mmCIF file of all heavy atoms in Angstrom:
data_model
loop_
_atom_site.group_PDB
_atom_site.id
_atom_site.type_symbol
_atom_site.label_atom_id
_atom_site.label_comp_id
_atom_site.label_asym_id
_atom_site.label_seq_id
_atom_site.Cartn_x
_atom_site.Cartn_y
_atom_site.Cartn_z
ATOM 1 N N SER A 395 -31.408 -1.122 -23.750
ATOM 2 C CA SER A 395 -31.306 -0.596 -25.115
ATOM 3 C C SER A 395 -31.099 0.915 -25.068
ATOM 4 O O SER A 395 -31.522 1.589 -24.120
ATOM 5 C CB SER A 395 -32.580 -0.898 -25.908
ATOM 6 O OG SER A 395 -32.667 -2.267 -26.154
ATOM 7 N N MET A 396 -30.482 1.441 -26.129
ATOM 8 C CA MET A 396 -30.070 2.844 -26.061
ATOM 9 C C MET A 396 -31.246 3.812 -25.930
ATOM 10 O O MET A 396 -31.125 4.835 -25.259
ATOM 11 C CB MET A 396 -29.197 3.174 -27.268
ATOM 12 C CG MET A 396 -27.825 2.506 -27.160
ATOM 13 S SD MET A 396 -26.646 3.088 -28.376
ATOM 14 C CE MET A 396 -27.067 2.084 -29.791
ATOM 15 N N ALA A 397 -32.387 3.484 -26.557
ATOM 16 C CA ALA A 397 -33.536 4.396 -26.430
ATOM 17 C C ALA A 397 -33.960 4.505 -24.960
ATOM 18 O O ALA A 397 -34.268 5.602 -24.474
ATOM 19 C CB ALA A 397 -34.697 3.890 -27.288
ATOM 20 N N GLN A 398 -33.962 3.361 -24.247
ATOM 21 C CA GLN A 398 -34.360 3.388 -22.834
ATOM 22 C C GLN A 398 -33.296 4.098 -21.979
ATOM 23 O O GLN A 398 -33.622 4.763 -21.001
ATOM 24 C CB GLN A 398 -34.624 1.968 -22.323
ATOM 25 C CG GLN A 398 -36.003 1.437 -22.680
ATOM 26 C CD GLN A 398 -36.236 1.296 -24.188
ATOM 27 O OE1 GLN A 398 -35.362 0.833 -24.908
ATOM 28 N NE2 GLN A 398 -37.402 1.707 -24.659
ATOM 29 N N CYS A 399 -32.018 3.961 -22.368
ATOM 30 C CA CYS A 399 -30.971 4.705 -21.642
ATOM 31 C C CYS A 399 -31.219 6.209 -21.784
ATOM 32 O O CYS A 399 -31.051 6.974 -20.834
ATOM 33 C CB CYS A 399 -29.585 4.341 -22.176
ATOM 34 S SG CYS A 399 -29.070 2.675 -21.715
ATOM 35 N N MET A 400 -31.642 6.637 -22.991
ATOM 36 C CA MET A 400 -31.932 8.071 -23.187
ATOM 37 C C MET A 400 -33.076 8.524 -22.287
ATOM 38 O O MET A 400 -33.041 9.601 -21.695
ATOM 39 C CB MET A 400 -32.304 8.336 -24.655
ATOM 40 C CG MET A 400 -31.164 8.150 -25.629
ATOM 41 S SD MET A 400 -31.704 8.657 -27.290
ATOM 42 C CE MET A 400 -30.886 7.420 -28.293
ATOM 43 N N VAL A 401 -34.111 7.651 -22.207
ATOM 44 C CA VAL A 401 -35.271 7.973 -21.367
ATOM 45 C C VAL A 401 -34.848 8.115 -19.897
ATOM 46 O O VAL A 401 -35.237 9.051 -19.201
ATOM 47 C CB VAL A 401 -36.348 6.864 -21.536
ATOM 48 C CG1 VAL A 401 -37.401 6.934 -20.454
ATOM 49 C CG2 VAL A 401 -36.965 6.950 -22.927
ATOM 50 N N MET A 402 -34.005 7.165 -19.445
ATOM 51 C CA MET A 402 -33.525 7.241 -18.053
ATOM 52 C C MET A 402 -32.742 8.534 -17.834
ATOM 53 O O MET A 402 -32.877 9.207 -16.812
ATOM 54 C CB MET A 402 -32.580 6.070 -17.755
ATOM 55 C CG MET A 402 -33.205 4.709 -17.743
ATOM 56 S SD MET A 402 -31.892 3.524 -17.292
ATOM 57 C CE MET A 402 -32.449 2.067 -18.094
ATOM 58 N N GLY A 403 -31.875 8.856 -18.816
ATOM 59 C CA GLY A 403 -31.045 10.058 -18.681
ATOM 60 C C GLY A 403 -31.895 11.303 -18.573
ATOM 61 O O GLY A 403 -31.691 12.140 -17.676
ATOM 62 N N GLU A 404 -32.880 11.410 -19.465
ATOM 63 C CA GLU A 404 -33.738 12.602 -19.437
ATOM 64 C C GLU A 404 -34.454 12.699 -18.091
ATOM 65 O O GLU A 404 -34.622 13.779 -17.532
ATOM 66 C CB GLU A 404 -34.740 12.558 -20.602
ATOM 67 C CG GLU A 404 -35.582 13.804 -20.668
ATOM 68 C CD GLU A 404 -36.294 14.016 -21.999
ATOM 69 O OE1 GLU A 404 -36.127 13.200 -22.925
ATOM 70 O OE2 GLU A 404 -37.014 15.022 -22.104
ATOM 71 N N ALA A 405 -34.849 11.554 -17.556
ATOM 72 C CA ALA A 405 -35.569 11.557 -16.265
ATOM 73 C C ALA A 405 -34.657 12.019 -15.129
ATOM 74 O O ALA A 405 -35.045 12.875 -14.326
ATOM 75 C CB ALA A 405 -36.118 10.161 -15.974
ATOM 76 N N VAL A 406 -33.445 11.485 -15.060
ATOM 77 C CA VAL A 406 -32.607 11.852 -13.893
ATOM 78 C C VAL A 406 -32.085 13.282 -13.998
ATOM 79 O O VAL A 406 -31.904 13.948 -12.968
ATOM 80 C CB VAL A 406 -31.443 10.858 -13.650
ATOM 81 C CG1 VAL A 406 -31.955 9.486 -13.279
ATOM 82 C CG2 VAL A 406 -30.468 10.799 -14.809
ATOM 83 N N GLY A 407 -31.868 13.777 -15.220
ATOM 84 C CA GLY A 407 -31.458 15.183 -15.363
ATOM 85 C C GLY A 407 -32.530 16.091 -14.788
ATOM 86 O O GLY A 407 -32.260 17.010 -13.998
ATOM 87 N N ASN A 408 -33.778 15.818 -15.135
ATOM 88 C CA ASN A 408 -34.889 16.615 -14.600
ATOM 89 C C ASN A 408 -35.074 16.383 -13.102
ATOM 90 O O ASN A 408 -35.406 17.317 -12.361
ATOM 91 C CB ASN A 408 -36.183 16.268 -15.346
ATOM 92 C CG ASN A 408 -36.268 16.983 -16.684
ATOM 93 O OD1 ASN A 408 -36.276 18.226 -16.733
ATOM 94 N ND2 ASN A 408 -36.301 16.237 -17.758
ATOM 95 N N ALA A 409 -34.868 15.138 -12.671
ATOM 96 C CA ALA A 409 -35.057 14.825 -11.242
ATOM 97 C C ALA A 409 -34.034 15.581 -10.385
ATOM 98 O O ALA A 409 -34.366 16.090 -9.303
ATOM 99 C CB ALA A 409 -34.933 13.323 -11.012
ATOM 100 N N ALA A 410 -32.797 15.647 -10.881
ATOM 101 C CA ALA A 410 -31.759 16.352 -10.114
ATOM 102 C C ALA A 410 -32.127 17.828 -9.963
ATOM 103 O O ALA A 410 -31.977 18.422 -8.876
ATOM 104 C CB ALA A 410 -30.405 16.209 -10.830
ATOM 105 N N VAL A 411 -32.664 18.425 -11.031
ATOM 106 C CA VAL A 411 -33.026 19.852 -10.970
ATOM 107 C C VAL A 411 -34.253 20.053 -10.080
ATOM 108 O O VAL A 411 -34.311 21.000 -9.286
ATOM 109 C CB VAL A 411 -33.268 20.399 -12.398
ATOM 110 C CG1 VAL A 411 -33.683 21.866 -12.345
ATOM 111 C CG2 VAL A 411 -32.011 20.235 -13.248
ATOM 112 N N LEU A 412 -35.198 19.128 -10.183
ATOM 113 C CA LEU A 412 -36.384 19.210 -9.320
ATOM 114 C C LEU A 412 -35.968 19.146 -7.845
ATOM 115 O O LEU A 412 -36.487 19.892 -7.004
ATOM 116 C CB LEU A 412 -37.328 18.049 -9.673
ATOM 117 C CG LEU A 412 -38.726 18.060 -9.098
ATOM 118 C CD1 LEU A 412 -39.464 19.338 -9.492
ATOM 119 C CD2 LEU A 412 -39.495 16.840 -9.642
ATOM 120 N N ALA A 413 -35.006 18.270 -7.547
ATOM 121 C CA ALA A 413 -34.518 18.166 -6.163
ATOM 122 C C ALA A 413 -33.922 19.509 -5.714
ATOM 123 O O ALA A 413 -34.187 19.977 -4.601
ATOM 124 C CB ALA A 413 -33.480 17.054 -6.065
ATOM 125 N N LEU A 414 -33.142 20.140 -6.600
ATOM 126 C CA LEU A 414 -32.534 21.424 -6.241
ATOM 127 C C LEU A 414 -33.614 22.486 -6.032
ATOM 128 O O LEU A 414 -33.562 23.262 -5.067
ATOM 129 C CB LEU A 414 -31.570 21.882 -7.350
ATOM 130 C CG LEU A 414 -30.280 21.074 -7.489
ATOM 131 C CD1 LEU A 414 -29.499 21.506 -8.723
ATOM 132 C CD2 LEU A 414 -29.416 21.224 -6.243
ATOM 133 N N LYS A 415 -34.599 22.506 -6.944
ATOM 134 C CA LYS A 415 -35.628 23.557 -6.874
ATOM 135 C C LYS A 415 -36.525 23.394 -5.653
ATOM 136 O O LYS A 415 -37.072 24.369 -5.144
ATOM 137 C CB LYS A 415 -36.488 23.527 -8.147
ATOM 138 C CG LYS A 415 -35.756 24.150 -9.350
ATOM 139 C CD LYS A 415 -36.669 24.250 -10.564
ATOM 140 C CE LYS A 415 -35.913 24.908 -11.722
ATOM 141 N NZ LYS A 415 -36.551 24.637 -13.022
ATOM 142 N N THR A 416 -36.714 22.161 -5.201
ATOM 143 C CA THR A 416 -37.619 21.939 -4.063
ATOM 144 C C THR A 416 -36.831 21.672 -2.774
ATOM 145 O O THR A 416 -37.397 21.218 -1.779
ATOM 146 C CB THR A 416 -38.581 20.759 -4.351
ATOM 147 O OG1 THR A 416 -37.807 19.614 -4.754
ATOM 148 C CG2 THR A 416 -39.565 21.102 -5.439
ATOM 149 N N ASP A 417 -35.532 21.954 -2.850
ATOM 150 C CA ASP A 417 -34.664 21.854 -1.678
ATOM 151 C C ASP A 417 -34.769 20.492 -0.972
ATOM 152 O O ASP A 417 -34.951 20.398 0.233
ATOM 153 C CB ASP A 417 -35.009 22.991 -0.697
ATOM 154 C CG ASP A 417 -33.856 23.223 0.273
ATOM 155 O OD1 ASP A 417 -32.736 22.792 -0.028
ATOM 156 O OD2 ASP A 417 -34.098 23.806 1.358
ATOM 157 N N THR A 418 -34.677 19.463 -1.786
ATOM 158 C CA THR A 418 -34.703 18.108 -1.212
ATOM 159 C C THR A 418 -33.669 17.256 -1.944
ATOM 160 O O THR A 418 -32.843 17.783 -2.700
ATOM 161 C CB THR A 418 -36.130 17.509 -1.305
ATOM 162 O OG1 THR A 418 -36.139 16.257 -0.627
ATOM 163 C CG2 THR A 418 -36.593 17.293 -2.735
ATOM 164 N N GLN A 419 -33.695 15.966 -1.705
ATOM 165 C CA GLN A 419 -32.785 15.063 -2.425
ATOM 166 C C GLN A 419 -33.592 14.230 -3.420
ATOM 167 O O GLN A 419 -34.801 14.045 -3.237
ATOM 168 C CB GLN A 419 -32.035 14.167 -1.431
ATOM 169 C CG GLN A 419 -31.074 14.917 -0.525
ATOM 170 C CD GLN A 419 -29.968 15.644 -1.287
ATOM 171 O OE1 GLN A 419 -29.749 15.425 -2.479
ATOM 172 N NE2 GLN A 419 -29.269 16.551 -0.603
ATOM 173 N N PRO A 420 -32.938 13.726 -4.468
ATOM 174 C CA PRO A 420 -33.687 13.048 -5.541
ATOM 175 C C PRO A 420 -34.610 11.932 -5.055
ATOM 176 O O PRO A 420 -35.695 11.736 -5.602
ATOM 177 C CB PRO A 420 -32.585 12.495 -6.443
ATOM 178 C CG PRO A 420 -31.426 13.398 -6.227
ATOM 179 C CD PRO A 420 -31.502 13.839 -4.792
ATOM 180 N N GLY A 421 -34.210 11.211 -4.017
ATOM 181 C CA GLY A 421 -35.038 10.108 -3.520
ATOM 182 C C GLY A 421 -36.347 10.589 -2.912
ATOM 183 O O GLY A 421 -37.263 9.794 -2.690
ATOM 184 N N ASN A 422 -36.429 11.911 -2.609
ATOM 185 C CA ASN A 422 -37.642 12.437 -1.947
ATOM 186 C C ASN A 422 -38.464 13.359 -2.840
ATOM 187 O O ASN A 422 -39.407 13.996 -2.356
ATOM 188 C CB ASN A 422 -37.250 13.226 -0.692
ATOM 189 C CG ASN A 422 -36.506 12.351 0.293
ATOM 190 O OD1 ASN A 422 -36.840 11.176 0.433
ATOM 191 N ND2 ASN A 422 -35.497 12.905 0.945
ATOM 192 N N ILE A 423 -38.132 13.474 -4.107
ATOM 193 C CA ILE A 423 -38.879 14.404 -4.964
ATOM 194 C C ILE A 423 -40.309 13.913 -5.166
ATOM 195 O O ILE A 423 -40.596 12.721 -4.972
ATOM 196 C CB ILE A 423 -38.211 14.593 -6.356
ATOM 197 C CG1 ILE A 423 -38.103 13.260 -7.093
ATOM 198 C CG2 ILE A 423 -36.904 15.328 -6.265
ATOM 199 C CD1 ILE A 423 -37.787 13.393 -8.560
ATOM 200 N N ASN A 424 -41.164 14.834 -5.581
ATOM 201 C CA ASN A 424 -42.520 14.456 -5.949
ATOM 202 C C ASN A 424 -42.466 13.892 -7.376
ATOM 203 O O ASN A 424 -42.320 14.637 -8.345
ATOM 204 C CB ASN A 424 -43.420 15.690 -5.878
ATOM 205 C CG ASN A 424 -44.868 15.346 -6.193
ATOM 206 O OD1 ASN A 424 -45.152 14.258 -6.727
ATOM 207 N ND2 ASN A 424 -45.768 16.253 -5.876
ATOM 208 N N VAL A 425 -42.561 12.557 -7.484
ATOM 209 C CA VAL A 425 -42.354 11.917 -8.793
ATOM 210 C C VAL A 425 -43.441 12.328 -9.786
ATOM 211 O O VAL A 425 -43.199 12.394 -11.001
ATOM 212 C CB VAL A 425 -42.257 10.382 -8.639
ATOM 213 C CG1 VAL A 425 -42.076 9.711 -9.994
ATOM 214 C CG2 VAL A 425 -41.071 10.013 -7.747
ATOM 215 N N ALA A 426 -44.635 12.662 -9.275
ATOM 216 C CA ALA A 426 -45.707 13.109 -10.188
ATOM 217 C C ALA A 426 -45.269 14.385 -10.912
ATOM 218 O O ALA A 426 -45.557 14.559 -12.105
ATOM 219 C CB ALA A 426 -46.996 13.337 -9.415
ATOM 220 N N ASP A 427 -44.562 15.277 -10.201
ATOM 221 C CA ASP A 427 -44.077 16.512 -10.856
ATOM 222 C C ASP A 427 -43.052 16.167 -11.941
ATOM 223 O O ASP A 427 -43.033 16.764 -13.008
ATOM 224 C CB ASP A 427 -43.421 17.452 -9.828
ATOM 225 C CG ASP A 427 -44.443 18.059 -8.898
ATOM 226 O OD1 ASP A 427 -45.647 17.989 -9.233
ATOM 227 O OD2 ASP A 427 -44.050 18.589 -7.829
ATOM 228 N N LEU A 428 -42.178 15.197 -11.624
ATOM 229 C CA LEU A 428 -41.179 14.766 -12.622
ATOM 230 C C LEU A 428 -41.893 14.197 -13.856
ATOM 231 O O LEU A 428 -41.549 14.528 -15.001
ATOM 232 C CB LEU A 428 -40.257 13.711 -11.995
ATOM 233 C CG LEU A 428 -39.293 13.013 -12.953
ATOM 234 C CD1 LEU A 428 -38.299 14.007 -13.555
ATOM 235 C CD2 LEU A 428 -38.544 11.878 -12.243
ATOM 236 N N GLN A 429 -42.886 13.363 -13.607
ATOM 237 C CA GLN A 429 -43.621 12.746 -14.730
ATOM 238 C C GLN A 429 -44.308 13.813 -15.587
ATOM 239 O O GLN A 429 -44.279 13.741 -16.816
ATOM 240 C CB GLN A 429 -44.647 11.740 -14.188
ATOM 241 C CG GLN A 429 -43.969 10.506 -13.590
ATOM 242 C CD GLN A 429 -44.920 9.647 -12.757
ATOM 243 O OE1 GLN A 429 -45.806 10.176 -12.065
ATOM 244 N NE2 GLN A 429 -44.731 8.337 -12.788
ATOM 245 N N ASP A 430 -44.881 14.857 -14.912
ATOM 246 C CA ASP A 430 -45.514 15.962 -15.674
ATOM 247 C C ASP A 430 -44.501 16.630 -16.586
ATOM 248 O O ASP A 430 -44.765 16.880 -17.754
ATOM 249 C CB ASP A 430 -46.050 17.034 -14.715
ATOM 250 C CG ASP A 430 -47.380 16.635 -14.132
ATOM 251 O OD1 ASP A 430 -47.935 15.616 -14.594
ATOM 252 O OD2 ASP A 430 -47.840 17.336 -13.214
ATOM 253 N N THR A 431 -43.317 16.918 -16.025
ATOM 254 C CA THR A 431 -42.270 17.596 -16.806
ATOM 255 C C THR A 431 -41.879 16.744 -18.005
ATOM 256 O O THR A 431 -41.757 17.249 -19.126
ATOM 257 C CB THR A 431 -41.015 17.843 -15.920
ATOM 258 O OG1 THR A 431 -41.425 18.568 -14.779
ATOM 259 C CG2 THR A 431 -39.929 18.597 -16.656
ATOM 260 N N LEU A 432 -41.685 15.457 -17.768
ATOM 261 C CA LEU A 432 -41.255 14.570 -18.866
ATOM 262 C C LEU A 432 -42.313 14.534 -19.964
ATOM 263 O O LEU A 432 -41.992 14.605 -21.152
ATOM 264 C CB LEU A 432 -40.977 13.161 -18.326
ATOM 265 C CG LEU A 432 -39.786 13.056 -17.365
ATOM 266 C CD1 LEU A 432 -39.715 11.663 -16.741
ATOM 267 C CD2 LEU A 432 -38.472 13.372 -18.070
ATOM 268 N N GLU A 433 -43.576 14.435 -19.551
ATOM 269 C CA GLU A 433 -44.649 14.375 -20.565
ATOM 270 C C GLU A 433 -44.749 15.685 -21.332
ATOM 271 O O GLU A 433 -44.910 15.693 -22.550
ATOM 272 C CB GLU A 433 -45.975 13.996 -19.908
ATOM 273 C CG GLU A 433 -46.029 12.493 -19.650
ATOM 274 C CD GLU A 433 -47.318 11.999 -19.016
ATOM 275 O OE1 GLU A 433 -47.928 12.757 -18.215
ATOM 276 O OE2 GLU A 433 -47.707 10.859 -19.306
ATOM 277 N N LYS A 434 -44.609 16.816 -20.607
ATOM 278 C CA LYS A 434 -44.657 18.123 -21.297
ATOM 279 C C LYS A 434 -43.537 18.223 -22.331
ATOM 280 O O LYS A 434 -43.667 18.889 -23.347
ATOM 281 C CB LYS A 434 -44.509 19.258 -20.270
ATOM 282 C CG LYS A 434 -45.822 19.668 -19.669
ATOM 283 C CD LYS A 434 -45.677 20.874 -18.762
ATOM 284 C CE LYS A 434 -46.857 20.912 -17.797
ATOM 285 N NZ LYS A 434 -46.484 21.147 -16.415
ATOM 286 N N ASN A 435 -42.419 17.565 -22.060
ATOM 287 C CA ASN A 435 -41.275 17.637 -22.979
ATOM 288 C C ASN A 435 -41.299 16.527 -24.038
ATOM 289 O O ASN A 435 -40.297 16.275 -24.695
ATOM 290 C CB ASN A 435 -39.960 17.574 -22.195
ATOM 291 C CG ASN A 435 -39.757 18.827 -21.355
ATOM 292 O OD1 ASN A 435 -40.334 19.867 -21.655
ATOM 293 N ND2 ASN A 435 -38.964 18.735 -20.304
#
Side-chain angles (χ1 to χ4, degrees):
S395 291
M396 289 191 277
Q398 279 63 43
C399 289
M400 292 186 218
V401 165
M402 293 183 208
E404 184 163 359
V406 295
N408 280 299
V411 178
L412 191 57
L414 290 173
K415 284 186 178 161
T416 52
D417 200 19
T418 185
Q419 294 299 347
N422 300 323
I423 59 166
N424 183 345
V425 179
D427 289 345
L428 172 63
Q429 291 167 324
D430 280 352
T431 304
L432 294 172
E433 281 181 327
K434 273 186 202 133
N435 292 337

